[in-house]
Amino acid sequence: MGYDALLWLSFGGPEGPDDVIPFLENVTRGRGVPRERLLEVAEHYRHFGGVSPINQLNRDAMAAVEKQLSAAGIDLPVHFGNRNWHPLVEDTLASLTEAGAKRVLVFPTSAYGGYSACRQYDEDIERARAAVGSAAPEMVKLRQFFDHPLFVAAVADGVRAAHASLGNAPGIRTVFTAHSVPESADLASGPPAAGGRRYSSQIAEAARLVAAEAGLDAYDVVWQSRSGPPQVPWLEPDIVDHIDALHASGVPGVVVSPIGFVSDHLEVIWDLDNEAAERAAEHGMAFARAATAGSDPRFAELVVELVREHTHGAEPRKLSSFPAAGCTVNGAPCAIRCCEPAKRPAR
C-alpha cells in the first residue's frame, strides 16, 4: 500500500499585522508567558510589516520538493499544514481526509530530536487526527536528518560562502547557533535509557560534521532565541554574549551559521541579522551570516530521499553514529517517555 500525500508540517507565522497577536497567543497558550513579553516579541514581527517569512519560505521549499518528486517519478502531492497559524494542520488533514487519503507521509521542518524539535510534531499529528476523527489517514512522520550528507553539504557551503564574503580573512571565528531550550528539556530529550541531551548532542554532532566538510580547524556552538524567565536555566552561551567574549579575546570577526534552523525565518533574521550583527558592529568586528539549508537545491533532494526510504525502501544515508530516530506513526513517540515535555509547576 502506497502513500497518498506528503504533509509539510511547520510552525507557522503571521502574514499581516492583524495576525501577529493572535498568532503569538496561539504559540504561548498554556505556557504562562507574561503579556509584556508577548507584546515585545510582537514588535519584532511589526519591524517586518507583521509578516513572518516562514510561510513563504515553506511554500518555496514545497514547490522545489514537488518538482523533485515529479522528476523522480513519484506521484505524491505536497500539502501544507502549520501548528500555530493558517493553514492549520487540522484543516489540511480534514481536506486530505475528505479527498480520500488513507496514508500520508509527514515532513516536519526540523532536523533534530527533542521536545520542541520532534516530539511536539508528534503531538501535532495526534491532535490533528483526533480533530478529524476515525476516518483520519495513517500518518507516518519522516526521520530526523541533521546528519544527512545533503544537509551537511548545504550548510557547509553556506559557511564557505560567508567566509568568502569576508575575503576569507584570517582569524574569523565560525560560530554555529541553534534555538536554546531549557536545561530540563535538553536533559529529557531522547529516550531516558540513552541518558538525555539528545538535542544538544545532535547539534554538536551536526556542527562537527559541517566543520569537517568545510575544512574548519576551530568553531564554537552557541545558542539563541531563549524566551523563558531568567530564573529558569537554558542552554548557554547566548550568541550576543558570545560575540562580546570573542571581541574581548581579540577575535576580529565572526561567521554565524544557524545550523539549528532549516530556513531564514524571523528568529534567524531578528536574532542574528539584527541583534548579533549590531553587537558585532559595535565592537568593530566583521560579521557574516551563513545561509540556512532550506534555500539550497539539495534540501529538496534531501526531502525526496527521506520520502524514498518509505516509498521505495531506499537505504537511509547518514554520517553519524546516532540512531535514526523521529520516524513515528500517528503521533506515537519514538520510544516510551522519549522527549517528554517538561511538567510545569502548579501555580
Side-chain angles (χ1 to χ4, degrees), residues 83 108-124 141-146 178-192 194-203 223 235 260 322-328 331-335 337-342:
R83 177 184 304 153
T109 55
S110 169
Y112 300 92
Y115 174 69
S116 297
C118 184
R119 177 72 181 267
Q120 203 167 8
Y121 288 102
D122 292 324
E123 293 178 356
D124 295 337
K141 181 159 70 72
L142 302 178
R143 67 177 176 89
Q144 297 154 14
F145 55 88
F146 71 96
H179 202 301
S180 186
V181 299
E183 282 277 355
S184 59
D186 190 45
L187 280 168
S189 63
R197 295 203 180 278
R198 177 166 286 184
Y199 173 66
S200 60
S201 297
Q202 288 180 337
I203 295 290
W223 308 94
L235 295 178
F322 277 82
C327 178
T328 60
C334 295
R337 298 183 57 212
C338 187
C339 300
E340 284 190 330

Side-chain angles (χ1 to χ4, degrees), residues 158-169 171-175 216 254-255 288:
V159 170
R160 290 191 191 98
H163 275 281
S165 74
L166 299 179
N168 292 312
I172 301 294
R173 189 75 171 181
T174 303
V175 180
L216 302 175
V254 289
V255 162

Side-chain angles (χ1 to χ4, degrees), residues 21-33 38 84 344:
I21 293 297
F23 161 74
L24 291 174
E25 288 173 341
N26 284 347
V27 173
T28 59
R29 185 169 290 115
R31 292 173 50 190
V33 175
L38 187 147
N84 296 301
R344 302 189 183 279

Side-chain angles (χ1 to χ4, degrees), residues 276-338:
E278 287 172 5
R279 183 58 59 89
E282 289 170 9
H283 292 313
M285 299 171 71
F287 180 94
R289 202 263 292 168
T292 47
S295 60
D296 189 287
R298 285 166 292 192
F299 190 74
E301 295 176 36
L302 182 162
V303 177
V304 173
E305 280 201 19
L306 297 179
V307 166
R308 285 178 58 84
E309 291 176 16
H310 295 269
T311 59
H312 291 73
E315 188 70 23
R317 291 206 295 154
K318 55 196 297 296
L319 298 175
S320 82
S321 60
F322 277 82
C327 178
T328 60
V329 179
N330 292 341
C334 295
I336 295 172
R337 298 183 57 212
C338 187

